[in-house]
Amino acid sequence: MAAHCTKGHLTCGVLIAYGGKGLICLLMALISSLTLAVEKPITISCTSPRGLPDADYTAEVMAPVMKQHGFNLAFKTGQGPAVVEGLRQGKFDGDCGRIESFNEKTGLNLIRVEPAIRRVRFALWGFDVDFPLHQVSPDKLRVGYLATTQISPVLAAQMGFTNLHRYDSMGAMVAALLRGEINVMLNYQALVNGYNDQSKKMLYRLRHLVTFPVYIYLQPRYQFMVPDLSAAIVSRVKVKPYNPYPDKVIPPLSEGQIIFGCSVPKHSQAFFEMEQGYRRAFNKMGYGFQMLAMPRARESAELLGGEVDGTCARGNVSPYNDHESLLRIRMPVTKTQLKIYSRRPAKQVQDLGQLPEGATIAYVRGTQLAELILKRAPHIKPVGVNNAELGVKMLAGERVDYFIGFPAASDYVLNNLDIRKMLYVVSDLPPIFFYAYIHTRHKALREPLEQHFKAQIQAQGSNAFLPYLEEMLDVEARE
């Protein structure tokens, strides 16, 4: 008498109910069924390691789709030619994020999954936030870049930076910057964010150069997963777009609370920094604090109507300076500058007077500084729009030649819309200071708030919001 097993199935015909061969048969069937249940591995190359925001975000989108198709997602961190060769040989099943021209530049035949999953921002970075970029000719500026970032030398040449220095690692490039071997570094934001998370000496973005859409790439054999992956990207971006600075939970308000309106995008770094700085100040004075993100026009209406207690930041050209119900906190919380965006790389222009005759330029209505600057350039045609999103879309869609806007709003839009055009920053206009304003019913808080900011500057050598110590104290002295 014998036992008969069908390999790969759960059924087993046992002729001897409790014999040894019958037990072997049952074990073989069990092992076979477990083998079928194990997910197959799929290895995706990724420039960033897990733990950095861009890699984690992409993995969160990809992993459920891979699991749905019976795959266990694994990221393999790698850079440069080794990754390209691994993709060519089929060692990697895909790549977690590359710009649109990746196939063409490498000669690969990968499938690009659309839409873009996120955006990557290239910028010039340095330790000196006030480095006078505008005083140094691009070809004289000593610019460091990573050997593993293939687009860097191409982008640098397009922008007129020819004095380039190549480094094999972020550590080596940072050391060169500290030694004065280079003036600035060219890098993408996610990598700098990772550095800043681990370092006490912060790198600051000195000039935003260009924003690229980033796509997931797969080997052709995984074509069957593309529709589900595309749908997952669309769904995730609508619900929770890529944001390397997640919302901070606002603690319960104590008795006695201050509410500020703020037209800076809620997911931006500027919003996060200001909210944290104001909370520290008001908590020290015994108040709870909450900052509400809202469109500029609504914020103005709520502020002037007394529905909120103040505003996070308005420029020094603000008409609120003399408003009877508002008081300006006479210590600037930050400074920023309008930027001019274009679809084409160009040498930096210092003002709108250098733009071509008849050019069209979009701007956000209600931005007093932009309106003031545009009035001084009658040779170009201004096109008012309701928000930065519309202005960026019009530029990308070739409906206007340029867009002028503040980086906090423009960068947020560029980072969270499916903009497939490369958009370049061709001008950083002169900086302006921004101040907080409070309602006159809180006039007793004005001086303590100013003293808090001043003490913090003197103690730390920098403001909680941005490190402009000398200029802030100088502005205060002129008030």
Side-chain angles (χ1 to χ4, degrees), residues 26 49 56 77 79 124 185 255 282 329 361 423 464:
L26 289 173
D56 284 353
T77 303
Q79 299 176 334
L124 294 177
M185 63 170 65
E255 185 177 351
F282 284 113
I329 303 302
I361 184 166
L423 301 182

Side-chain angles (χ1 to χ4, degrees), residues 34-109:
L34 289 175
T35 301
L36 289 175
V38 172
E39 294 171 342
K40 294 167 285 187
I42 185 167
T43 303
I44 304 295
S45 58
C46 201
T47 301
S48 299
R50 292 300 301 274
L52 288 186
D54 56 332
D56 284 353
Y57 180 80
T58 307
E60 288 172 13
V61 176
M62 293 181 73
V65 176
M66 301 299 184
K67 187 175 182 66
Q68 174 187 335
H69 286 276
F71 292 95
N72 181 33
L73 176 65
F75 272 12
K76 178 71 174 178
T77 303
Q79 299 176 334
V83 170
V84 174
E85 189 58 30
L87 287 165
R88 181 174 286 112
Q89 295 178 11
K91 293 180 180 178
F92 300 128
D93 299 299
D95 193 273
C96 76
R98 297 283 179 166
I99 62 175
E100 188 171 7
S101 60
F102 181 59
N103 268 348
E104 292 77 6
K105 289 184 178 298
T106 58
L108 296 176
N109 186 34

Side-chain angles (χ1 to χ4, degrees), residues 121 205 263-265 267-271 274 336-337 339 341 388 405-413:
R121 283 173 285 183
R205 187 173 64 191
S263 59
V264 174
H267 296 289
S268 69
Q269 177 73 352
F271 187 100
M274 285 191 287
T336 188
Q337 53 198 143
K339 296 177 182 288
Y341 298 82
F406 288 116
S410 304
D411 287 358
Y412 177 72
V413 171

Side-chain angles (χ1 to χ4, degrees), residues 311-371:
T311 179
C312 67
R314 288 287 171 135
N316 52 7
V317 297
S318 174
Y320 298 157
N321 287 345
D322 302 316
H323 197 278
E324 60 182 9
S325 65
L326 299 176
L327 295 171
R328 188 173 83 175
I329 303 302
R330 292 163 297 193
M331 288 289 290
V333 295
T334 187
K335 73 174 182 181
T336 188
Q337 53 198 143
L338 287 166
K339 296 177 182 288
I340 300 175
Y341 298 82
S342 170
R343 291 185 303 276
R344 300 176 182 84
K347 292 183 178 179
Q348 293 287 304
V349 297
Q350 300 305 314
D351 56 60
L352 273 67
Q354 295 176 269
L355 299 182
E357 181 82 26
T360 54
I361 184 166
Y363 73 99
V364 178
R365 296 187 189 94
T367 307
Q368 287 92 6
L369 180 60
E371 292 172 347

Side-chain angles (χ1 to χ4, degrees), residues 40-242:
K40 294 167 285 187
I42 185 167
T43 303
I44 304 295
S45 58
C46 201
T47 301
S48 299
R50 292 300 301 274
L52 288 186
D54 56 332
D56 284 353
Y57 180 80
T58 307
E60 288 172 13
V61 176
M62 293 181 73
V65 176
M66 301 299 184
K67 187 175 182 66
Q68 174 187 335
H69 286 276
F71 292 95
N72 181 33
L73 176 65
F75 272 12
K76 178 71 174 178
T77 303
Q79 299 176 334
V83 170
V84 174
E85 189 58 30
L87 287 165
R88 181 174 286 112
Q89 295 178 11
K91 293 180 180 178
F92 300 128
D93 299 299
D95 193 273
C96 76
R98 297 283 179 166
I99 62 175
E100 188 171 7
S101 60
F102 181 59
N103 268 348
E104 292 77 6
K105 289 184 178 298
T106 58
L108 296 176
N109 186 34
L110 302 175
I111 300 170
R112 187 174 74 231
V113 181
E114 297 187 5
I117 192 167
R118 57 185 176 83
R119 309 296 176 285
V120 58
R121 283 173 285 183
F122 268 86
L124 294 177
W125 304 82
F127 291 120
D128 180 5
V129 74
D130 289 320
F131 182 84
L133 280 174
H134 62 284
Q135 297 178 12
V136 183
S137 175
D139 60 326
K140 302 297 183 185
L141 199 67
R142 301 190 305 276
V143 181
Y145 74 95
L146 281 176
T148 52
T149 309
Q150 297 171 329
I151 192 64
S152 292
V154 177
L155 175 62
Q158 288 178 340
M159 304 301 293
F161 305 120
T162 56
N163 190 353
L164 303 180
H165 298 251
R166 183 177 181 270
Y167 298 94
D168 291 328
S169 69
M170 183 73 172
M173 188 158 60
V174 168
L177 186 62
L178 289 170
R179 291 194 304 267
E181 182 180 309
I182 53 177
N183 305 121
V184 295
M185 63 170 65
L186 174 63
N187 222 327
Y188 62 94
Q189 184 157 350
L191 188 56
V192 175
N193 289 345
Y195 167 83
N196 282 342
D197 286 344
Q198 305 296 324
S199 176
K200 293 181 180 179
K201 190 172 179 60
M202 300 284 286
L203 283 166
Y204 295 96
R205 187 173 64 191
L206 306 180
R207 180 180 293 164
H208 173 205
L209 298 177
V210 64
T211 299
F212 296 104
V214 174
Y215 300 88
I216 293 170
Y217 282 84
L218 294 176
Q219 296 286 3
R221 59 181 175 271
Y222 297 109
Q223 175 70 54
F224 61 90
M225 282 195 289
V226 170
D228 289 335
L229 199 50
S230 296
I233 294 170
V234 171
S235 176
R236 180 56 179 270
V237 169
K238 283 183 179 178
V239 175
K240 189 178 180 183
Y242 172 66

Side-chain angles (χ1 to χ4, degrees), residues 352-470:
L352 273 67
Q354 295 176 269
L355 299 182
E357 181 82 26
T360 54
I361 184 166
Y363 73 99
V364 178
R365 296 187 189 94
T367 307
Q368 287 92 6
L369 180 60
E371 292 172 347
L372 181 64
I373 292 173
L374 289 168
K375 285 180 181 178
R376 299 172 182 167
H379 70 292
I380 59 176
K381 181 182 177 181
V383 179
V385 297
N386 291 331
N387 51 53
E389 178 177 336
L390 184 56
V392 170
K393 284 182 175 179
M394 290 179 69
L395 175 61
E398 303 186 17
R399 294 172 60 190
V400 293
D401 301 310
Y402 300 95
F403 171 68
I404 183 172
F406 288 116
S410 304
D411 287 358
Y412 177 72
V413 171
L414 288 167
N415 197 42
N416 292 291
L417 286 183
D418 186 19
I419 303 295
R420 303 190 182 190
K421 296 281 187 180
M422 291 168 54
L423 301 182
Y424 297 84
V425 176
V426 296
S427 179
D428 294 326
L429 297 180
I432 60 168
F433 287 99
F434 273 67
Y435 299 81
Y437 288 78
I438 58 171
H439 197 274
T440 50
R441 62 176 174 264
H442 297 298
K443 61 182 179 182
L445 297 180
R446 185 188 197 186
E447 186 172 342
L449 196 57
E450 292 170 352
Q451 291 303 315
H452 173 84
F453 288 158
K454 183 176 181 179
Q456 193 165 292
I457 288 173
Q458 292 173 337
Q460 300 178 5
S462 67
N463 194 309
F465 306 106
L466 281 179
Y468 294 118
L469 171 62
E470 294 83 1

